[in-house]
Amino acid sequence: EALVLATYGLFRLKRFLLRIGPRIRAVVVPYLEGRSIREIAEVLGIKTKTAYARISLARRHLQTLALA
């Protein structure tokens, strides 16, 4: 049962990542890997505020998917 739940969770995560745009995905993936917002912003060449905003957009989108 745990394997089924884990597989389903990965399926949902993949579905979510495919639905968000590439700019948001570029911030979300390293964030999920444990990188800091500051580090992500520096690597991507964007402002820290922009990285925070993209994470916020991703969270809102994820909440929308959870309600569907």
Side-chain angles (χ1 to χ4, degrees):
E1 184 177 329
L3 180 60
V4 171
L5 290 175
T7 303
Y8 181 66
L10 287 174
F11 168 77
R12 288 186 62 161
L13 177 60
K14 183 178 177 181
R15 189 171 132 226
F16 166 71
L17 290 173
L18 290 172
R19 284 186 162 191
I20 60 177
R23 292 160 140 200
I24 297 173
R25 190 178 316 118
V27 174
V28 170
V29 171
Y31 185 75
L32 291 174
E33 292 172 344
R35 297 209 180 8
S36 71
I37 294 290
R38 181 177 290 171
E39 182 181 6
I40 295 166
E42 186 176 304
V43 168
L44 294 176
I46 60 176
K47 294 179 182 181
T48 305
K49 280 185 170 186
T50 302
Y52 275 113
R54 291 179 185 176
I55 290 293
S56 179
L57 284 170
R59 285 184 178 137
R60 279 189 251 139
H61 190 73
L62 190 57
Q63 287 173 342
T64 302
L65 287 177
L67 295 175

